[in-house]
Amino acid sequence: ERPTTVVTETLGFDHLTCALNYENVKRQLFSIWFSAHVAGWWAKMLMLRDLKMCIVYSSMFELTELTLQFLVPEFQECWWDSIIMDWLIANTLVGMLLGKLTLRVLNVSE
């Protein structure tokens, strides 16, 4: 079988449905990848303890995902998923800020 069959089974046949609508946004918000971004950037914030550095790293990781889409099928995503859902919401607004809140609750200096 062709490799695209594996991609279809792994990602779903509509993983690149890029219409910006309620159904697609909801599907992305409740995907395993959104949760992985949040958990990953929460943990990175706890380790690095520097919001600016985490934002720079997050930006570079998202840029890397965009440039390696041809190589890694899981990196193929819509522009709004990469910029808005991953970088802005999951990484920065949820993951890093929850990490910052955790550091504050634990009285750990940044």
Side-chain angles (χ1 to χ4, degrees):
E1 292 184 31
R2 296 183 331 208
T4 54
T5 304
V6 174
V7 172
T8 301
E9 291 171 3
T10 304
L11 299 174
F13 72 94
D14 62 346
H15 81 281
L16 285 180
T17 304
C18 288
L20 187 53
N21 58 38
Y22 176 75
E23 286 303 316
N24 288 341
V25 170
K26 185 175 107 177
R27 186 181 75 236
Q28 294 305 99
L29 272 175
F30 293 102
S31 72
I32 187 71
W33 304 113
F34 187 86
S35 302
H37 275 268
V38 170
W41 284 102
W42 172 79
K44 288 176 188 87
M45 186 64 194
L46 294 182
M47 290 184 285
L48 298 174
R49 299 180 191 170
D50 184 358
L51 184 62
K52 290 177 187 173
M53 184 180 291
C54 283
I55 289 173
V56 169
Y57 282 154
S58 173
S59 302
M60 296 310 297
F61 283 136
E62 287 303 319
L63 183 61
T64 302
E65 279 187 18
L66 288 172
T67 57
L68 294 177
Q69 285 183 8
F70 73 96
L71 193 59
V72 183
E74 286 80 9
F75 287 171
Q76 295 174 3
E77 55 191 9
C78 303
W79 68 269
W80 56 266
D81 185 20
S82 180
I83 295 170
I84 298 170
M85 300 295 287
D86 291 350
W87 183 81
L88 180 65
I89 298 175
N91 296 359
T92 307
L93 294 178
V94 181
M96 291 179 211
L97 292 183
L98 280 177
K100 195 170 178 72
L101 180 66
T102 302
L103 291 171
R104 191 169 289 162
V105 167
L106 296 174
N107 286 328
V108 177
S109 63
E110 293 183 42

